[in-house]
Amino acid sequence: MFNEFRQTQLLYRVCSLLIKAQQDNDEVFNQIVALLCQELRVTGSSIWIATHQGGIGQQRLAFFQAGEKLSYSLPNLDYQAAALVFEQGNGLVLHNIHNDENFHEAKRNDLWVTAYPLKNKSELIGVFCIWDNCNKRTHQERENFVSLVQKVGSELTNGLYNYKQYSQANHKRIVKELETARRIQFDLMPKELPVLQGISLGVRTIPANEVGGDYLDIFLTNSKHLGIAIGDVMGKGIPAALWMAMTKVAMRTAAKDDTQPHIAVSQVNSVLFPDLSRQGIFVTLLYALYDPYNKTLLFSNAGHLPPLLFRSKTQKVEPLQLKGAYIGGVENKIYQISGVRLQKGDIVLFYTDGLIEALNSAQKQLGVEKVAELLNSNALYDASQIIDRLIVDLGQFTGDYHQTDDITLAVLKVEE
Amino acid sequence: MSLEIERKKENDIMILQMSGVLDISTVELLQNSINHLGEIKKVICDFENIRFVDSTGVGGIASVIRACRKNEITIKINNILPEVFEVLDILGLPEIFGEETFEVKQV
């Protein structure tokens, strides 16, 4: 049925596809099984790969089945055939699966299946399965067919081995790069807080597992005022980390020389707008400037959550409301400015959405009201103690529920 | 957490009935929902059953609005729960895309 020339041609095409698979392209294996089904005129084919996570396991790397309607779930059939090969290490040819005790769910007497072990030296790295209708070929034709499957199989073994090596190396490299990005981002967060008479300061970032986009910077301006900038880049991963770094540079540049907050925020928007809007990304940014001599806090807001102000006199918490579109939203926007005069004992909490959106196991969010309540009940402490206590309370709320977003907090308290 | 989008076509208006959460795990579904609009002139996103939107979700909404406008399709987001609207409002979406684009659910 298949002459030498066509066999060679088919093997050549399989091999040329396999070369591509070395570039970590698992789609190639789907192309190979589709090609084999088409050329060998069989119903279906699949390739399985051995996984070693928590004992020997198997994972289907590629699957193709021609349009023919079959009365039961075929994926089960090739799963079981592959599992038998993984278990026993030998090839399998079942001419009639009807009476085979391993195929309870596939009680069909018109299918045959062959599963071929893909072994690199003695290690079983995968299984190659083919199944078809028995009535299409004679018993002898099927025997010949199996020898062709073996030839294809030995080519697949090499391809699969290279693919595995490459994808493992690639995976390690990506994990390492993400770790580096995480570390760089962490290094961009404030390490040493400025010392300023009359106030206490505290900051904390709790990173989620992924690379997030939280941004915080605290610095003294030329005339010894305190600048606090907090923000959040939309999305996660490397792009968010890059934008966070860009925002930090743009903000520092805009804020030097004691620039008024709204001028600084407007300038950051003008600088970042073209690239942000082109990429469909945005950054929220709140910049506050505290003057320790007359205790005024001026601020401007580009889409960030309003900071919470605890008033010592009234023992009440109020948000510092001021609206403004996010950075990257409106070209050449002139942002607004607002301000409050603080008094001894007053506390301002700056935070990112990870705090109020933190979930517990019942999928309930912490919420801004609860944060205000916690701030109120911890108001006697200094800024860094307040942060510690908020974190403990947060932990009690979330329990061991997996946190998916970065949480960033900064507290400014007027002590005298 | 998931997002379901039901597409209903009425003449040249497409109504997208959405339910669930709009965050980093579901935002792609929102973006895909406005593919292949053909002769559609107006898209109405019904947010009545959207319970939560995070900042990536807001980014998704912004990109969908921009994509529609680029193709001269009017888009409106209706029935937004007040707590969800608060998130959109803090980020400034009504300022960026016009107040008339967003309609809060009357409680």
Side-chain angles (χ1 to χ4, degrees):
Chain A
M1 58 148 203
F2 230 71
N3 62 30
E4 198 75 7
F5 174 68
R6 281 192 64 200
Q7 282 196 18
T8 313
Q9 214 179 20
L10 176 65
L11 286 173
Y12 172 76
R13 286 173 70 187
V14 169
C15 292
S16 62
L17 279 169
L18 283 170
I19 290 167
K20 275 198 213 158
Q22 290 178 33
Q23 291 142 24
D24 197 18
N25 184 356
D26 51 7
E27 186 46 37
V28 162
F29 291 98
N30 276 318
Q31 291 174 22
I32 290 172
V33 287
L35 170 76
L36 290 171
C37 285
Q38 192 188 348
E39 290 293 317
L40 304 175
R41 297 195 182 87
V42 293
T43 305
S45 174
S46 63
I47 298 170
W48 292 78
I49 192 164
T51 57
H52 296 275
Q53 289 152 348
I56 302 288
Q58 63 185 76
Q59 190 188 335
R60 195 191 276 113
L61 184 64
F63 177 83
F64 183 85
Q65 191 182 298
E68 201 176 321
K69 279 258 185 286
L70 292 151
S71 60
Y72 56 86
S73 146
L74 261 182
N76 231 1
L77 166 71
D78 75 320
Y79 172 82
Q80 291 178 48
L84 276 175
V85 176
F86 275 121
E87 196 184 305
Q88 295 163 1
N90 303 318
L92 180 81
V93 183
L94 292 166
H95 291 294
N96 180 331
I97 60 172
H98 181 59
N99 297 319
D100 198 294
E101 59 176 21
N102 289 306
F103 293 91
H104 297 299
E105 289 170 48
K107 293 253 187 248
R108 289 264 307 230
N109 56 8
D110 57 349
L111 269 184
W112 70 282
V113 57
T114 174
Y116 180 81
L118 305 177
K119 279 186 182 166
N120 180 57
K121 296 181 185 124
S122 62
E123 190 198 359
L124 182 56
I125 58 170
V127 174
F128 169 45
C129 300
I130 278 190
W131 56 95
D132 199 17
N133 193 318
C134 294
N135 308 326
K136 267 200 323 214
R137 295 185 176 92
T138 64
H139 196 275
Q140 185 54 47
E141 277 174 349
R142 296 208 295 267
E143 289 291 332
N144 295 341
F145 188 78
V146 167
S147 85
L148 173 60
V149 166
Q150 285 172 357
K151 282 183 193 160
V152 172
S154 71
E155 295 305 332
L156 280 179
T157 305
N158 296 332
L160 203 60
Y161 178 75
N162 290 338
Y163 167 78
K164 269 186 92 166
Q165 296 298 104
Y166 191 91
S167 65
Q168 275 167 5
N170 212 19
H171 181 72
K172 276 187 197 146
R173 185 176 58 79
I174 289 169
V175 168
K176 200 159 178 275
E177 279 177 10
L178 281 170
E179 271 169 21
T180 312
R182 233 292 139 254
R183 205 175 53 242
I184 291 171
Q185 195 182 30
F186 195 70
D187 287 343
L188 288 171
M189 288 289 188
K191 290 286 167 295
E192 280 175 32
L193 294 175
V195 179
L196 206 58
Q197 189 66 32
I199 60 159
S200 64
L201 277 176
V203 297
R204 187 73 51 87
T205 295
I206 310 170
N209 286 336
E210 297 162 83
V211 181
D214 276 13
Y215 153 69
L216 177 70
D217 201 9
I218 299 193
F219 48 86
L220 287 182
T221 61
N222 290 344
S223 52
K224 302 288 179 219
H225 291 185
L226 180 75
I228 300 179
I230 188 165
D232 190 0
V233 182
M234 183 202 97
K236 288 190 167 64
I238 306 279
L242 283 173
W243 276 109
M244 179 235 170
M246 304 254 279
T247 306
K248 176 168 175 159
V249 174
M251 187 67 231
R252 279 273 177 128
T253 313
K256 69 173 197 213
D257 306 328
D258 295 276
T259 320
Q260 294 280 292
H262 63 308
I263 307 280
V265 171
S266 304
Q267 194 180 319
V268 171
N269 184 57
S270 301
V271 171
L272 300 184
F273 181 88
D275 292 322
L276 282 173
S277 66
R278 198 174 54 244
Q279 294 178 21
I281 293 177
F282 64 76
V283 180
T284 72
L285 177 65
L286 182 130
Y287 178 52
L289 192 59
Y290 179 69
D291 175 352
Y293 308 104
N294 58 26
K295 297 192 172 72
T296 51
L297 184 79
L298 299 175
F299 59 95
S300 183
N301 192 354
H304 197 77
L305 289 162
L308 296 177
L309 167 63
F310 168 82
R311 284 290 195 188
S312 170
K313 203 172 169 187
T314 59
Q315 299 283 304
K316 288 215 168 80
V317 175
E318 57 186 272
L320 292 175
Q321 297 282 12
L322 180 66
K323 284 207 275 189
Y326 51 66
I327 302 290
V330 181
E331 194 167 11
N332 297 323
K333 181 177 163 59
I334 303 297
Y335 284 86
Q336 292 178 313
I337 184 169
S338 184
V340 280
R341 175 157 281 172
L342 302 180
Q343 283 163 345
K344 187 182 170 187
D346 287 357
I347 304 162
V348 185
L349 169 67
F350 303 86
Y351 62 98
T352 55
D353 58 1
L355 176 66
I356 56 168
E357 289 171 6
L359 293 172
N360 65 9
S361 55
Q363 298 283 305
K364 190 178 175 295
Q365 291 188 5
L366 182 64
V368 71
E369 289 82 11
K370 183 72 185 166
V371 173
E373 203 181 290
L374 294 175
L375 184 59
N376 204 329
S377 59
N378 292 309
L380 285 175
Y381 299 94
D382 75 15
S384 68
Q385 288 168 321
I386 291 171
I387 296 250
D388 288 343
R389 299 180 85 88
L390 284 178
I391 298 296
V392 170
D393 292 334
L394 173 70
Q396 275 172 359
F397 173 80
T398 58
D400 52 9
Y401 190 75
H402 174 69
Q403 174 201 321
T404 56
D405 203 0
D406 288 353
I407 297 175
T408 301
L409 304 172
V411 168
L412 159 68
K413 182 174 182 185
V414 182
E415 299 285 358
E416 53 194 61
Chain B
M1 296 220 262
S2 64
L3 174 70
E4 277 175 35
I5 303 175
E6 200 182 313
R7 282 162 61 117
K8 273 192 287 187
K9 204 180 146 190
E10 286 173 17
N11 301 318
D12 59 357
I13 300 175
M14 176 70 83
I15 299 168
L16 301 170
Q17 204 85 41
M18 310 197 182
S19 53
V21 295
L22 192 49
D23 64 9
I24 194 158
S25 64
T26 61
V27 71
E28 213 177 318
L29 291 172
L30 171 74
Q31 283 160 331
N32 292 341
S33 71
I34 56 153
N35 290 344
H36 313 295
L37 285 180
E39 298 301 303
I40 297 293
K41 291 272 175 287
K42 185 173 184 179
V43 171
I44 297 174
C45 301
D46 190 331
F47 263 42
E48 188 174 4
N49 295 312
I50 293 288
R51 304 187 308 276
F52 170 68
V53 177
D54 77 352
S55 71
T56 314
V58 171
I61 296 171
S63 75
V64 162
I65 296 174
R66 272 196 302 269
C68 283
R69 295 203 172 154
K70 203 172 152 196
N71 293 299
E72 293 176 351
I73 297 168
T74 312
I75 178 163
K76 276 205 73 176
I77 299 173
N78 289 350
N79 276 326
I80 310 169
L81 295 180
E83 61 269 30
V84 170
F85 182 74
E86 203 186 322
V87 176
L88 309 190
D89 195 37
I90 286 172
L91 284 156
L93 285 201
E95 183 191 336
I96 298 165
F97 297 109
E99 308 270 344
E100 68 289 350
T101 309
F102 306 91
E103 188 199 285
V104 185
K105 184 180 159 69
Q106 300 300 320
V107 184

